[in-house]
Amino acid sequence: QVELVESGGGLVKAGDSLRLSCTASGRFGSRYNMGWFRQAPGNRRVFVAGISANGADINYRDSVKGRFIISRDEDKNTVYLQMNSLNVDDTAIYYCEIPCANDRCDPTYWGLGTRVTVSS
């Protein structure tokens, strides 16, 4: 079983930055892709960013390109999402997942999510 625990959400103002973290633990035999999805109130969960197992393949949804940066630390089994220039449309619950690095994949494992609220 794999457990994912997110942290770093909060209430910020438009233009501010936040860094989300997600640490994976449990039984998994090999390196894996990881990513972030988000779900805004009244909307479906959508892909935000993903990073491949070796870090060579990185993908973002169009609306966050140039503002968000995904990275990973293999020694800590942790993936990060640096979110800059936040706007009200980024308000959502952010979920860490395995094993998707793009939006053409259905995640197998999910964290419980961390809430991000951006005020104007």
Side-chain angles (χ1 to χ4, degrees), residues 79-97:
V79 64
Y80 303 97
L81 186 67
Q82 177 66 42
M83 307 187 295
N84 302 317
S85 301
L86 285 161
N87 59 59
V88 295
D89 292 333
D90 296 317
T91 294
I93 299 175
Y94 284 71
Y95 298 91
C96 177
E97 54 78 20

Side-chain angles (χ1 to χ4, degrees), residues 8 11 14 19 23 30 32-33 38 53 56 60 62 66 69 76 79-80 83 85-86 93 95-96 104 106 110 115 120:
L11 171 62
R19 189 176 81 153
T23 299
S30 60
Y32 40 81
N33 302 334
R38 70 185 182 189
Y60 299 97
D62 287 346
I69 301 171
K76 297 180 180 179
V79 64
Y80 303 97
M83 307 187 295
S85 301
L86 285 161
I93 299 175
Y95 298 91
C96 177
R104 300 179 299 277
D106 291 326
W110 293 100
R115 184 179 298 274
S120 59

Side-chain angles (χ1 to χ4, degrees), residues 37 47 59 100-105:
F37 281 60
F47 173 81
N59 298 283
C100 297
N102 56 56
D103 61 356
R104 300 179 299 277
C105 169

Side-chain angles (χ1 to χ4, degrees), residues 5-102:
V5 179
E6 304 99 333
S7 63
L11 171 62
V12 297
K13 295 182 178 179
D16 286 350
S17 298
L18 277 176
R19 189 176 81 153
L20 307 183
S21 301
C22 171
T23 299
S25 61
R27 295 174 61 86
F28 38 86
S30 60
R31 301 177 74 179
Y32 40 81
N33 302 334
M34 295 184 74
W36 294 90
F37 281 60
R38 70 185 182 189
Q39 187 166 16
N43 292 309
R44 63 183 179 87
R45 197 172 297 188
V46 297
F47 173 81
V48 176
I51 184 167
S52 62
N54 63 5
D57 183 31
I58 291 176
N59 298 283
Y60 299 97
R61 72 180 296 105
D62 287 346
S63 62
V64 307
K65 286 180 181 177
R67 299 188 298 123
F68 289 13
I69 301 171
I70 188 171
S71 60
R72 64 190 300 161
D73 184 334
E74 282 305 316
D75 292 339
K76 297 180 180 179
N77 288 330
T78 298
V79 64
Y80 303 97
L81 186 67
Q82 177 66 42
M83 307 187 295
N84 302 317
S85 301
L86 285 161
N87 59 59
V88 295
D89 292 333
D90 296 317
T91 294
I93 299 175
Y94 284 71
Y95 298 91
C96 177
E97 54 78 20
I98 288 175
C100 297
N102 56 56

